[in-house]
Amino acid sequence: MTIAVLLKQVPDTTAKITVSGGRVDEGAVSKWSMSPYDEYALEYALQLKEGGGGDLVAITCGPARASKILTDAAAVGADSLVHIVSDDSGMDSSNVQNLLASAIRKTGAEVVLCGKQAADTNSGSTGPGVASILGFTCVGMVSEVSMEGDGFVAMRTSPSGNEKVSVSKPCLFAFDKAATEMRRPNVRGIMMAKKKAVESLTPADLGVTMEGSRVSLESHSAPAEKPPGQKFEGAASVPTVVSKLRDEANVI
Amino acid sequence: MPYDALDFYDVDSLLTEEERMVRDMVRDFVDNEVLPKIEQACRDGVFPDEWRVELGNMGVLGAPLKGYGCPGLSYTAYGVICRELERGDSGLRSFASVQGSLAMYPIWDFGSEEQKNYYLPKMASGEWIGCFGLTEPDYGSNPGDMITRAEDMGDHYLLNGAKMWITNGTIAQVAVVWAKLDGVIRGFIVEDGDEGFTAPEMKGKHSLKASVTSELVFQDCKIPKDRILPGVKGLRGPFSCLNNARYGISWGAIGAAQACFDSAKEYSLSRIQFDHPIASYQLVQNKLSWMLREITKAQLLAYHLSQKKDAGTWIPEHISLAKMNNVDIALEIARAARDIHGANGILDEYPVMRHMANLESVKTYEGTHDIHNLILGRHITGIQAFTRTLE
Ligand SMILES: Cc1cc2nc3c(=O)[nH]c(=O)nc-3n(C[C@H](O)[C@H](O)[C@H](O)COP(=O)(O)OP(=O)(O)OC[C@H]3O[C@@H](n4cnc5c(N)ncnc54)[C@H](O)[C@@H]3O)c2cc1C
């Protein structure tokens, strides 16, 4: 069984984001990391591989710098690495989905894991989009997945209750925050990762003609500044504070 | 606030990708598994066993040693590991230094094939803990005059004497002990449970509280013949171990300094006195920029030394300089950081006082600050000043 996991490199959640000329200034991003939901997908992909054997292919689509997350994936146990090299930040989601779907088809994977959304764009369309192109069953907001017989059992956890579903192949799981964090690599894994080749593919290699984006990005802008905090002193202000907490902050 | 490792000259960009991945792995371990537990470990005076397990799982023990289940990383990677561990706590780094450089290394370099095959895989995986017994109650800076003796009894050796200040002693399965056999210093492998061997823990430390420090006591301790290290005689044995450990400390101290700088920077930006953040005052900025200056110099020193270590073009005096300088500045930075934190600086809510107290030990062990001055003095002048004859 071939398992594919889709990974995206995003600015680290701790990195400072600046906007200049109506665009996020990527050059100013101090640290790039694997998108957090993708880390959960990778961890469960590793568990599936360990449970049922098979090959784990890690796939990313992005500029040259993005291959770093493939090496990180190899360090924890991904078997092969596919990098769809694209510098075109103007690509819309459907372009990305087409590229990823073609790469998955090429690997022959029948089960795909990914994050429910990427930490930079938060579109949330990749998983469902790729599944629909491939005709795979899509299960979203997954927090756990395991093999059962020929198919899979997935948990969907939410504050209002849990749902357990079973699915047969071919299928795609889009991960929410999951029960187990991505494992830490070890020195042996890191040394092996260095030796694993990254297969670089262009859209042409995948036979995908990039149609003009249907969604075009007009501009980015920084969030509005938060209003300054309010300060109250003395016992006399208690009623005001209580009413603000109740009526404005909705916390009591 | 997430940890922001000061690297003003981007010295880490000189690391290989593999070395950076090792750095990130260890940093993640320290963030998630060490820092949340360190203060409790210090209060309880214990080295948490789960850290031993995870150091073994990560595969960082005996980092630069090759073969026999050892990681086979570069000395540069070993330095980076020490730095990241000591950013957490000097006691954690001490554990790794002793295991790798002081216990595994002598077996790896001076042991028989059988000894290497038997001990090293178990020590690299963290299953067995090692310790290194050189210092004695009456012989610290001057280990050459040690009293501990081994006697050849035909079918075994008999060990008598006592070691003191031995890191990991009480929790170790394997002790590499230096003792005189017919007046010549030799290395012996003593195992936990050997007849006549005890390792009581030393209590009451104000420094390296999360590290176990012990005495090793040998009373007619019987050692099988195949437990002597065949490959070395004299002080060269323990000193070659110390060279590696001291090299690691020259990196480790930077981690402690970076942690103190990071905390001092954050604190000074948020602490308001006289209506403004204390970071806006020149005296505080002077302290911070001095820290930045010294950390940057220490990083360049450690990195260049690592290249010499990997290339094999180093001399022990190079290591003395780096150990002495980097621990010295780390201790001064910890003190200045403690000062910047005001009264908060004495609380265990901040890491600065813990690092400061730890670094007092680090300044003393592995050759005191002044012993390294004397080593350099001898190198410069050709005159040894360790001892003199009183007229
Ligand atoms: C927490 C901790 C862990 C340790 N772990 C280990 C371990 O695992 N294994 C081990 O074998 N040892 C260990 N040690 C011992 C350590 O290596 C010794 O403490 C160190 O070598 C100094 O010896 P000393 O304490 O006897 O000090 P001394 O040698 O008595 O030195 C006292 C002072 O005198 C100075 N001095 C000494 N000689 C001279 C001289 N000729 N000229 C000028 N000044 C001089 C020193 O610089 C120092 O300031 C550890 C120590 C500590 C604190």
Side-chain angles (χ1 to χ4, degrees), chain B residues 221-269:
Chain B
C221 173
K222 272 176 82 167
I223 307 289
K225 271 286 177 69
D226 61 3
R227 298 246 217 93
I228 192 168
L229 294 176
V232 75
K233 284 181 185 164
L235 273 178
R236 186 175 78 81
F239 281 2
S240 47
C241 305
L242 294 173
N243 277 330
N244 284 331
R246 290 167 178 172
Y247 161 77
I249 292 170
S250 73
W251 278 84
I254 296 169
Q258 285 172 308
C260 292
F261 173 83
D262 190 46
S263 190
K265 184 185 89 179
E266 287 307 322
Y267 188 84
S268 63
L269 285 166

Side-chain angles (χ1 to χ4, degrees), chain A residues 20 25 124:
Chain A
S20 78
D25 182 2

